[in-house]
Amino acid sequence: MSTHTEETIALDRRHVAHNYAPLPVVAASALGAWITDVDGRRYLDCLAAYSAVNFGHRNPEVTAAAHAQLDTLTLVSRAFHSDRLAPFCAALAQLCGKDMVLPMNSGAEAVESAIKVARKWGADVKGVPAGQGTIIVARNNFHGRTTTIISFSDDDTARRGFGPYTPGFRRVEFGDADALAGAIDDHTVAVLLEPIQGEAGIVVPPG
Ligand SMILES: Cc1ncc(COP(=O)(O)O)c(C=O)c1O
């Protein structure tokens, strides 16, 4: 390891919260599928920021759109309408065959919102008594790191020390359709599954 790499990692250890264990690579720039580190070594990026840059680092269409927007209107919050949000949601809704879209900044927020939507639907539409809706999840799931999401994880490193946990979840074996069907009852408001489990390995459910 070079001095530059070592010094940066040492600074990271001192000042960046120890909530992650990165590989000992200090990225300095990237283009397409290739990352260059601070010493000029090149790496083929097979992670793509856990799919956030599946379109490639510095994809020219994406960066051009981002630059153009920053030069036009930075942020309005949801206190105002913007001329971009409605057309974006309309296009995404059409692509997904849905009526409405609620954009989120991260996967964990998306899952949190889905949990809230399901619970409210359970109470308001299905008629589940208040506070008694249950959501069925799979063993060895990974859906993010918020307090509610780690409450239904069975990964000790994600959970330990963060209780008290959010109730209302029931775990079944991933890929066991009979166990899943058997877990559904009058209080079930949703089933929450990864189509292919990622953090648990690459676990493809049986066909
Ligand atoms: C299946 C799955 N759901 C949710 C998340 C959480 O996404 P985020 O880190 O953007 O909150 C991840 C992150 O890796 C994930 O793999």
Side-chain angles (χ1 to χ4, degrees):
M1 248 187 269
S2 77
T3 314
H4 196 166
T5 296
E6 275 172 9
E7 281 174 3
T8 309
I9 291 175
L11 194 65
D12 188 302
R13 284 214 185 94
R14 239 185 349 268
H15 295 295
V16 181
H18 293 186
N19 65 332
Y20 214 89
L23 298 168
V25 173
V26 181
S29 64
L31 184 62
W34 293 90
I35 290 180
T36 305
D37 77 1
V38 287
D39 299 311
R41 277 183 296 257
R42 296 179 77 228
Y43 300 85
L44 177 62
D45 182 6
C46 295
L47 270 178
Y50 300 113
S51 84
V53 289
N54 272 353
F55 40 77
H57 293 277
R58 285 163 56 202
N59 178 291
E61 261 185 74
V62 174
T63 53
H67 287 150
Q69 187 60 46
L70 285 171
D71 284 341
T72 310
L73 176 63
T74 308
L75 186 67
V76 289
S77 82
R78 291 295 301 278
F80 305 109
H81 294 280
S82 91
D83 68 345
R84 301 284 84 209
L85 182 61
F88 165 71
C89 289
L92 190 55
Q94 193 183 10
L95 181 72
C96 300
K98 301 290 177 193
D99 297 325
M100 288 184 181
V101 170
L102 176 58
M104 288 286 134
N105 297 297
S106 69
E109 285 172 282
V111 172
E112 286 279 345
S113 298
I115 290 168
K116 288 171 71 179
V117 168
R119 284 178 168 180
K120 193 153 172 54
W121 171 84
D124 293 355
V125 180
K126 186 170 176 176
V128 176
Q132 292 185 36
T134 55
I135 295 178
I136 300 166
V137 299
R139 280 192 219 295
N140 299 320
N141 67 71
F142 184 79
H143 293 286
R145 297 183 190 278
T146 62
T147 313
T148 289
I149 290 173
I150 55 112
S151 293
F152 58 82
S153 164
D154 41 18
D155 177 354
D156 192 49
T157 57
R159 279 173 61 90
R160 194 169 8 96
F162 297 124
Y165 302 108
T166 308
F169 300 95
R170 192 178 282 179
R171 276 195 293 262
V172 297
E173 215 56 53
F174 183 69
D176 186 341
D178 292 337
L180 179 57
I184 294 172
D185 63 20
D186 289 348
H187 287 184
T188 305
V189 298
V191 173
L192 174 61
L193 296 172
E194 294 153 86
I196 296 173
Q197 287 190 328
E199 289 278 323
I202 306 297
V203 186
V204 181

